[in-house]
Amino acid sequence: MSEATLAAPWWKRGVIYQIYPRSFADSNGDGIGDLAGIAARLDHVASLGVDAIWLSPIFPSPMADFGYDVADYTGVEPMFGDLAAFDRLLAAVHARGLRLLLDFVPNHSSTEHPWFVESRSSRDNPKRDWYIWRDPAPGGGLPNNWISDMGGPAWELDPVTGQYYLHTFLKEQADLNWRNPAVAQAMTDVMRFWLDRGVDGFRIDVLWHIVKAEGLPDNPANPDWREGLAEKLRVLQHHSTDQPEAHAFTRQFRQLADSYGDTALVGEIFLPRDRLMRWYGTEAEPGVHLPFNFELIENPWDRDTLAALIAGYDAAIPDHGWPNWVIGSHDAARIAARIGERQARVAAMLLLTLRGTPTLYQGDEIGIGTVDIPPHRIRDPQDLRQPGMGLGRDRSRTPMAWDASSNAGFSTVEPWLPLHPDWRTRNVAAQEEDPASMLRLYRRLLAARRASPALSLGRMTLREAAPDILAYERQHGDERLLVVLNLGSEPREVTLPGATRPGRIIVATGTRDMFDGTIDADEAYVVELLA
């Protein structure tokens, strides 16, 4: 790694790898992944060439929403292990030169959390105001028209106290009241607990939700809603999300994280680009290091769309900010399922050569594609509550395939979700042996990125190109590289930037060793530019 690359903070030059613990590796034969399973497979993660691991929630939970309903913010769910197992995993991560980010869930807790149990016990309990309680509307009924992201009203009546509590997601996930200073202090103490334990930062769940508008007014109706769209889209979430007061808490999170040194905060924020940029804060009062950018997931996969969104996003980043990119997660359909395996290879090239920090999702490195979940195997509450809407997330949470042995080496018993249908040939062991595999492509890309200041930190310039061709230059000092991606099904000619000639191919999806100015369908190249 060059001196220029090493001088930058790791979260700028590095790559994050997301692990969904239930589905990575099962060490104890219950069909569910765990911390010891992750520890046993760390060499695979390290061999990819990534810099940090983000773990989806591992905290004690009734698992109504598979860990995003937290019952204890400073413990470990027994099905995953315990605090000693976490400490062993963290030590093993650090021993391999990697960092570990935890999933911090500040908007809501489980209704089984002791805080909520106290809160609902009576109207005058000291923790009543730790959550958002309201009387029924005059004449009875819901306090306002807010809709849960899981469908149905965002309010649940507690018959004992006669008030409703707010739940942005499932009724088992009660929203915390961040306007109560005691809540803000308690949750900041949670972050401090894990930072003291040695974690390197957090991915912050639904960060833009944490503060609600004073008075909880009705959200305006969405004039564009129609049958077939998710129920939550019936209203525009003007008053239930993205309130200006939330930024003060984000600045406090950043100050705490920065006080521990080389840490990082990644914010989950689904907002239009102009509002997303506010979550960077200012140079004097910064927000999260990386407000997640989901534009490669949310938009069509074609050259014109991608070129426009890349240019617009890069131009919108404030001077003190740093871009980031993602093509897959535990909430989105697999990239290979969305665009096919050939284009998924092109997508890997795009993700790992754009300016900014990439986040990889487990299983994308072996090209897991479409997984049909039989009705009797569906586990996702979002899918069960709104069937037939295509909202199911199980499809992206299926187990990792390690080899061709029973249950793909994931477990000694049937996994909690089905494996992808081609797991006997699409697994880590098989792709280790195939130089043309998706896994080997990811490793080449990550090695190239690590070795190249132009790819990891350099500036980016989009170039005019033939139809279906997305082309851009990355430059740092004297190093100039051209990235050429064919998003179409026909071969194309590529014109190099003026006064340059092609040098060696740094990495490619194909097998050619020299670049001759042509690119086949569904291919991509990173080419050295010489004067």
Side-chain angles (χ1 to χ4, degrees):
M1 191 179 296
S2 72
E3 289 185 14
T5 305
L6 284 171
W10 72 263
W11 53 268
K12 275 191 174 184
R13 56 180 160 77
V15 178
I16 300 169
Y17 181 85
Q18 182 191 357
I19 289 178
Y20 193 70
R22 292 180 69 93
S23 297
F24 199 65
D26 170 23
S27 72
N28 61 0
D30 63 0
I32 297 171
D34 48 49
L35 298 183
I38 296 169
R41 297 291 186 177
L42 276 182
D43 286 342
H44 165 74
V45 181
S47 73
L48 288 173
V50 299
D51 298 83
I53 294 168
W54 150 33
L55 292 184
S56 290
I58 59 168
F59 315 110
S61 168
M63 295 291 163
D65 192 23
F66 296 105
Y68 285 96
D69 49 321
V70 179
D72 176 2
Y73 286 100
T74 56
V76 170
E77 166 57 40
M79 76 170 61
F80 296 142
D82 54 23
L83 281 171
F86 174 80
D87 290 340
R88 289 192 294 272
L89 173 62
L90 182 61
V93 167
H94 287 163
R96 288 164 174 79
L98 301 171
R99 292 172 171 83
L100 186 67
L101 309 183
L102 288 186
D103 213 320
F104 179 52
V105 187
N107 179 70
H108 49 265
S109 79
S110 167
T111 52
E112 295 187 21
H113 195 293
W115 297 344
F116 187 78
V117 173
E118 283 192 53
S119 182
R120 81 185 311 173
S121 65
S122 70
R123 289 195 181 202
D124 58 2
N125 185 278
K127 284 195 168 57
R128 185 67 168 185
D129 193 46
W130 282 45
Y131 294 84
I132 300 174
W133 293 93
R134 290 296 182 272
D135 289 327
L142 302 170
N144 65 23
N145 71 345
W146 294 4
I147 297 173
S148 161
D149 279 18
M150 296 290 194
W155 295 96
E156 182 72 12
L157 180 65
D158 175 52
V160 175
T161 59
Q163 284 189 316
Y164 287 88
Y165 67 86
L166 180 68
H167 59 91
T168 296
F169 298 92
L170 296 173
K171 65 181 177 63
E172 294 86 357
Q173 296 166 285
D175 280 34
L176 286 154
N177 178 17
W178 276 81
R179 292 186 181 276
N180 182 334
V183 170
Q185 183 61 56
M187 295 302 281
T188 303
D189 288 345
V190 167
M191 298 181 80
R192 186 176 287 108
F193 171 88
W194 291 106
L195 289 165
D196 285 344
R197 211 162 192 101
V199 304
D200 302 288
F202 301 92
R203 177 265 192 185
I204 306 176
D205 185 59
V206 296
L207 177 57
W208 83 111
H209 275 273
I210 64 172
V211 178
K212 281 69 175 173
E214 286 277 18
L216 309 183
D218 280 355
N219 277 324
N222 181 359
D224 297 323
W225 188 86
R226 63 183 186 280
E227 291 293 338
L229 293 179
E231 188 178 0
K232 70 175 183 178
L233 299 177
R234 280 182 179 271
V235 297
L236 302 173
Q237 295 183 334
H238 286 182
H239 302 301
S240 51
T241 67
D242 197 28
Q243 299 303 300
E245 297 91 334
H247 294 281
F249 295 119
T250 305
R251 290 193 294 272
Q252 292 171 22
F253 297 160
R254 176 66 179 265
Q255 289 167 5
L256 176 63
D258 285 350
S259 73
Y260 281 80
D262 206 8
T263 56
L265 299 179
V266 182
E268 184 194 21
I269 304 159
F270 278 97
L271 287 172
R273 186 186 295 155
D274 60 332
R275 291 161 64 191
L276 177 69
M277 294 302 154
R278 300 174 194 166
W279 291 85
Y280 281 104
T282 65
E283 188 167 7
E285 296 184 311
V288 291
H289 298 80
L290 301 171
F292 253 146
N293 165 28
F294 297 103
E295 293 193 26
L296 294 179
I297 290 177
E298 296 172 326
N299 285 282
W301 191 260
D302 64 75
R303 192 280 302 273
D304 291 346
T305 299
L306 294 182
L309 76 83
I310 290 167
Y313 174 77
D314 198 58
I317 299 289
D319 289 344
H320 68 280
W322 182 250
N324 69 93
W325 301 92
V326 58
I327 59 173
S329 79
H330 64 293
D331 288 332
R334 291 274 186 188
I335 184 65
R338 299 202 309 270
I339 63 176
E341 179 167 357
R342 289 175 65 86
Q343 277 296 308
R345 297 171 73 88
V346 177
M349 293 281 283
L350 177 69
L351 177 69
L352 293 172
T353 60
L354 284 170
R355 175 178 175 264
T357 303
T359 297
L360 311 182
Y361 181 56
Q362 69 174 55
D364 283 352
E365 75 268 30
I366 58 172
I368 295 175
T370 302
V371 187
D372 292 323
I373 310 294
H376 71 282
R377 297 290 303 275
I378 292 173
R379 303 291 300 277
D380 180 13
Q382 184 163 268
D383 201 6
L384 293 169
R385 287 167 62 93
Q386 300 177 82
M389 298 287 292
L391 302 176
R393 299 166 295 177
D394 289 336
R395 58 193 172 175
S396 60
R397 300 175 177 185
T398 57
M400 190 71 173
W402 295 102
D403 54 43
S405 67
S406 178
N407 302 307
F410 168 77
S411 177
T412 56
V413 300
E414 183 178 43
W416 74 288
L417 280 176
L419 291 156
H420 48 282
D422 56 348
W423 63 267
R424 290 176 179 82
T425 54
R426 185 178 301 283
N427 59 65
V428 171
Q431 294 201 10
E432 291 267 14
E433 302 302 318
D434 179 5
S437 69
M438 183 80 83
L439 176 60
R440 298 283 286 271
L441 172 63
Y442 266 95
R443 284 186 179 157
R444 291 196 301 273
L445 275 165
L446 285 158
R449 182 185 177 88
R450 184 174 288 267
S452 165
L455 287 179
S456 58
L457 295 170
R459 63 180 180 270
M460 181 176 68
T461 308
L462 285 165
R463 297 296 183 190
E464 292 292 328
D468 295 327
I469 302 300
L470 182 63
Y472 46 93
E473 187 176 336
R474 300 297 309 278
Q475 183 173 359
H476 188 283
D478 294 333
E479 184 187 24
R480 294 179 65 187
L481 304 176
L482 181 68
V483 182
V484 188
L485 314 169
N486 190 342
L487 278 69
S489 56
E490 297 180 15
R492 297 291 185 185
E493 297 289 328
V494 175
T495 302
L496 297 182
T500 63
R501 55 189 173 85
R504 61 195 176 94
I505 292 176
I506 305 300
V507 64
T509 57
T511 56
R512 287 189 286 176
D513 356 353
M514 294 298 295
F515 184 70
D516 63 2
T518 64
I519 183 169
D520 289 339
D522 305 308
E523 280 198 342
Y525 292 90
V526 180
V527 182
E528 184 181 36
L529 290 178
L530 303 176

